[in-house]
Amino acid sequence: MYMLRCSSAQHKGSARVCVCVCVCVCVCVHVLSFLLFPLHSPSSSTSPKTHVCTDGYEYDPIRQVCKDIDECVIVPDACKGGMKCYNHFGGYLCLPQNAQIFVSRGDEMAQPTEPSPPIPPVPPNVNSPNLQPGSLPERRQSGLHRSIHCSPGFTLDEQNYCRDIDECNTGRHTCSPDQICYNTRGSFLCQCPSGYQKNGDECVDRDECLTSHYCMHRCVNVPGSYYCECNPGYQLASNNHSCVDVNECQVSQPCDHQCYNLIGSFICHCRQGYELAPDSVSCIDIDECAFSRYMCQYACINSPGEYSCTCPEGYELQGTRTCQDINECETGHKCSEEEFCWNYYGGFRCYPKNPCQEPYVRTSENRCVCSSTSACRGLPQSIVYKYMNIHSDRTVPADIFQIQATNIYSNTHNTFRIRSGNDGGEFFLRRSSNVSAMLVLTKSLEGPLEIIIDLEMITHHTVTNYRTSSLLRLTIIVGPFSF
């Protein structure tokens, strides 16, 4: 007798299936003589004999018996799915690798209850699969009558041999409608379909997800089976259990600009001048001009993926953000021959080369002297014309211009004052020494603006008690910008 016991759970796929099988085989070697019988004509004892064995056996001419064929040796890859092949009389079994088989060699063949004369054996029909091999019917003889009794699960055929009863085909089984009946030698088995297990006499779904399902991420139970699911960013491998990374960058190209694959995910990167949108895949333009007003010295112009700086008229871009004044007096201007060009921040102006007016005459560049003492009574003896330019919104206070006497005489005392052009109090003249003074800007000026301010130096002769004055006419041009 073969008894199979499941010592541990055997896995089928990823589900744990415990397979318990009981196979009964009577080990009676001498019965094999019944499996082999000669086919010959009764009338001719010298004709050749042909020996026929049942399925799973072959004739051994040396021992002159039918011997079992070991299918596990001669059949390549007899068992599939990691099952182990076990040979037995007339066939083989595919059982789990960790199955244990216990063999009992007790003689189960029924013995006569009382001595009886030998009865010539009737050759069995070897083509019948229902014959009970390895077992003889129990024969009882009393006087002239003989009775034959078969083991439970067998029935006597017309040749007085015990043949297996197929309870599954004859309807003699007790399996429920949701179970599968399997006929065995002398009995039958009731088994549940794959994915189900017995609960009393009923078959209930086996929740493979509660046991060892071997799903890498998630297990989903369904009636009679289960399937595996993967987390986002993964997909099922060919074994339907493992999860492998999905390269989204190659499959769907989800990013607007650049895509970098990660294990189970991906990340998008935008080109310079762009940033990721809240959806983490789209790229939107960065408005660099909105970051700060100091991005450009004058004006910032945003464009897709970049920005640029511009300068006002009279300036040119130096580098990427600063503006440099253009000296139109050097690059080209429209001043006449009687004029000279004066460049200031952001533009230029044309002034007369001879600014002297009656009663003054020009003696040198930008210098006018009174031609007659009588005509210039009460007027400065000389007027000097100067020009300067400053930025708009200049920080104050600031020293912007120094006035100094060109001739120094002994026994003289000089005083300095702003004679005109300081109606708003934007300037202050600070005396530095007897011969010089500093013009100080006290209020910030916003251009474009032109201011003409007269700075007067009064000279007092202490010995002769004589007083004269000279004037510096300063033209200040305030540019329209702070640069």
Side-chain angles (χ1 to χ4, degrees):
M1 175 182 295
Y2 287 87
M3 291 171 40
L4 175 63
R5 183 179 62 189
C6 193
S7 60
S8 64
Q10 174 67 23
H11 301 290
K12 180 179 180 183
S14 296
R16 176 175 293 178
V17 180
C18 183
V19 180
C20 298
V21 181
C22 179
V23 180
C24 298
V25 179
C26 293
V27 183
C28 298
V29 178
H30 67 276
V31 182
L32 294 178
S33 59
F34 289 100
L35 300 178
L36 173 65
F37 57 92
L39 299 178
H40 60 277
S41 174
S43 61
S44 176
S45 60
T46 61
S47 60
K49 297 181 180 179
T50 301
H51 302 278
V52 179
C53 297
T54 59
D55 292 341
Y57 293 84
E58 63 181 357
Y59 182 68
D60 186 351
I62 299 177
R63 299 174 57 187
Q64 297 185 355
V65 294
C66 288
K67 66 178 183 179
D68 176 58
I69 299 174
D70 191 347
E71 292 85 357
C72 296
V73 175
I74 65 174
V75 177
D77 203 12
C79 294
K80 308 291 185 180
M83 305 293 279
K84 186 176 180 180
C85 181
Y86 290 89
N87 185 64
H88 75 89
F89 295 106
Y92 66 95
L93 296 174
C94 292
L95 302 177
Q97 293 284 348
N98 60 351
Q100 296 183 4
I101 298 179
F102 297 88
V103 180
S104 174
R105 299 189 182 276
D107 188 4
E108 296 180 353
M109 182 178 63
Q111 302 294 336
T113 57
E114 59 183 14
S116 59
I119 302 175
V122 179
N125 184 1
V126 297
N127 295 323
S128 175
N130 297 324
L131 181 64
Q132 182 185 9
S135 175
L136 289 177
E138 182 179 339
R139 296 173 173 81
R140 295 184 180 180
Q141 183 174 348
S142 176
L144 297 178
H145 299 282
R146 180 181 62 184
S147 61
I148 300 175
H149 298 277
C150 295
S151 300
F154 293 86
T155 184
L156 195 66
D157 64 4
E158 65 278 2
Q159 296 178 349
N160 292 330
Y161 279 88
C162 292
R163 299 185 180 278
D164 175 61
I165 299 174
D166 190 345
E167 294 86 353
C168 298
N169 288 334
T170 58
R172 299 183 182 182
H173 63 85
T174 58
C175 300
S176 60
D178 58 349
Q179 295 176 343
I180 302 174
C181 178
Y182 293 95
N183 186 62
T184 61
R185 296 287 184 177
S187 185
F188 63 93
L189 292 176
C190 296
Q191 294 186 357
C192 295
S194 177
Y196 292 84
Q197 61 186 6
K198 278 190 175 183
N199 183 11
D201 293 334
E202 297 180 353
C203 289
V204 296
D205 174 57
R206 179 188 294 112
D207 191 348
E208 295 86 354
C209 297
L210 295 179
T211 60
S212 182
H213 48 74
Y214 284 97
C215 287
M216 188 171 180
H217 287 174
R218 295 191 304 273
C219 176
V220 179
N221 185 66
V222 294
S225 183
Y226 73 99
Y227 63 90
C228 298
E229 286 184 346
C230 295
N231 295 332
Y234 294 84
Q235 63 183 4
L236 277 177
S238 57
N239 60 11
N240 292 329
H241 291 83
S242 302
C243 293
V244 296
D245 174 59
V246 176
N247 191 338
E248 297 87 352
C249 298
Q250 294 181 353
V251 175
S252 58
Q253 298 180 350
C255 301
D256 273 1
H257 289 174
Q258 298 171 342
C259 179
Y260 296 94
N261 186 60
L262 303 176
I263 301 300
S265 184
F266 66 95
I267 187 172
C268 295
H269 181 72
C270 298
R271 294 190 293 267
Q272 184 175 359
Y274 294 86
E275 63 182 353
L276 278 177
D279 60 5
S280 297
V281 294
S282 303
C283 292
I284 56 178
D285 174 60
I286 298 175
D287 187 358
E288 295 88 351
C289 298
F291 285 166
S292 171
R293 65 186 184 93
Y294 298 105
M295 293 294 294
C296 296
Q297 193 173 39
Y298 175 63
C300 179
I301 299 177
N302 185 64
S303 57
E306 59 183 359
Y307 74 98
S308 59
C309 296
T310 60
C311 295
E313 185 179 0
Y315 291 85
E316 62 182 356
L317 190 64
Q318 185 178 37
T320 58
R321 62 172 300 274
T322 59
C323 294
Q324 177 68 38
D325 173 57
I326 299 174
N327 191 341
E328 294 87 355
C329 296
E330 294 180 354
T331 59
H333 58 83
K334 297 180 180 181
C335 296
S336 65
E337 293 183 359
E338 289 78 20
E339 297 174 326
F340 73 93
C341 179
W342 179 260
N343 183 72
Y344 66 91
Y345 298 116
F348 72 96
R349 292 197 178 187
C350 298
Y351 292 102
K353 292 180 180 180
N354 184 10
C356 301
Q357 297 177 0
E358 293 291 340
Y360 295 93
V361 294
R362 182 184 181 190
T363 58
S364 63
E365 183 181 1
N366 296 334
R367 185 178 180 85
C368 301
V369 178
C370 188
S371 58
S372 172
T373 304
S374 60
C376 294
R377 190 180 301 273
L379 297 176
Q381 292 296 316
S382 64
I383 301 176
V384 177
Y385 290 86
K386 292 291 183 180
Y387 303 88
M388 71 172 295
N389 27 291
I390 62 175
H391 295 116
S392 181
D393 300 321
R394 182 168 179 174
T395 304
V396 293
D399 297 343
I400 61 173
F401 190 82
Q402 186 178 23
I403 181 174
Q404 188 170 353
T406 56
N407 297 320
I408 302 175
Y409 302 97
S410 59
N411 300 319
T412 58
H413 178 76
N414 298 316
T415 61
F416 302 90
R417 69 170 183 169
I418 300 175
R419 184 169 180 172
S420 64
N422 191 28
D423 298 336
E426 296 90 353
F427 303 96
F428 169 75
L429 191 60
R430 184 180 71 243
R431 187 174 186 272
S432 304
S433 66
N434 187 44
V435 294
S436 65
M438 179 65 69
L439 182 64
V440 180
L441 178 67
T442 59
K443 292 182 179 180
S444 181
L445 299 175
E446 184 176 354
L449 180 66
E450 182 184 77
I451 299 177
I452 299 176
I453 183 171
D454 289 341
L455 306 177
E456 185 178 26
M457 182 180 71
I458 302 172
T459 303
H460 180 73
H461 298 267
T462 59
V463 177
T464 61
N465 197 24
Y466 176 73
R467 190 178 75 169
T468 61
S469 67
S470 60
L471 192 70
L472 189 147
R473 182 159 291 169
L474 179 64
T475 300
I476 302 175
I477 304 174
V478 183
F481 307 103
S482 60
F483 49 85

